[in-house]
Amino acid sequence: MAISSEQFRDVLRLFPAGVTLVTTRTADGRTHGMTVSAFASVSPEPPLVTVIIDHSHTMHPMLEAEGAVFAVNILGEEQQELSNRFAFTKDQDRFAEGSWSTGTTGAPVLENAIAWLDCAVVGRHEAGTHTVYLGEVLESRVLGDRQPLVYWNRGYRRLVEPVEP
């Protein structure tokens, strides 16, 4: 018998994750973005990444469309407010804050993120309440050597350099 979703969440809250904004632009020009910690690298050759999106989220049908694209914007530790905006804003334009341009695919990229990856969807896999999207990285940019925003134990955290003994 599988564990409960509450038990599952209690364990996973103890696994630290980087914080990203995943953004998309549809063929008809609509944009959307959301805060995502379910992001991982898959392969360097070809360069592939994955993002995992809940079926109930607005972005899900956008990424199901043929020719779907997305960008993964890796946030710095000073970008908590932007992370919250993309996680919780309902009625306002999420893109009204931050400095935005577009990648090769047309997906919005955050000009002051630590780095971003611009991707075309090349695979999808249904996984319970979510879909795992495989993206081929078509363009990337490193924008600064800053500390990343980290989420752990239901809150934002900062990395601290270890002290030498």
Side-chain angles (χ1 to χ4, degrees), residues 2-3 9 13 22 41 49 58 64 67 82 88 115 121 165:
I3 64 172
R9 287 184 186 105
R13 72 181 171 85
V22 174
S41 64
V49 297
T58 302
E64 288 295 304
L82 195 56
F88 303 115
V121 174

Side-chain angles (χ1 to χ4, degrees), residues 57-160:
H57 197 280
T58 302
M59 187 174 285
H60 184 264
M62 299 170 95
L63 293 179
E64 288 295 304
E66 187 172 331
V69 298
F70 65 88
V72 178
N73 300 275
I74 300 171
L75 296 182
E77 67 181 359
E78 75 286 356
Q79 294 177 307
Q80 291 180 26
E81 287 183 32
L82 195 56
S83 172
N84 286 335
R85 180 179 188 83
F86 276 74
F88 303 115
T89 298
K90 300 290 182 212
D91 299 327
Q92 301 172 19
D93 178 9
R94 294 176 180 196
F95 295 96
E97 298 293 327
S99 181
W100 297 93
S101 61
T102 56
T104 298
T105 67
V109 293
L110 182 61
E111 293 179 359
N112 65 338
I114 291 177
W116 52 258
L117 302 157
D118 189 27
C119 310
V121 174
V122 294
R124 297 169 178 88
H125 180 76
E126 295 290 316
T129 58
H130 289 62
T131 298
V132 179
Y133 292 97
L134 185 64
E136 181 176 10
V137 181
L138 303 178
E139 183 181 13
S140 68
R141 190 139 314 136
V142 175
L143 301 161
D145 188 19
R146 305 183 327 266
Q147 294 290 325
L149 183 58
V150 176
Y151 195 78
W152 175 78
N153 201 15
R154 298 186 176 118
Y156 295 113
R157 308 292 184 214
R158 293 177 181 223
L159 296 180
V160 177

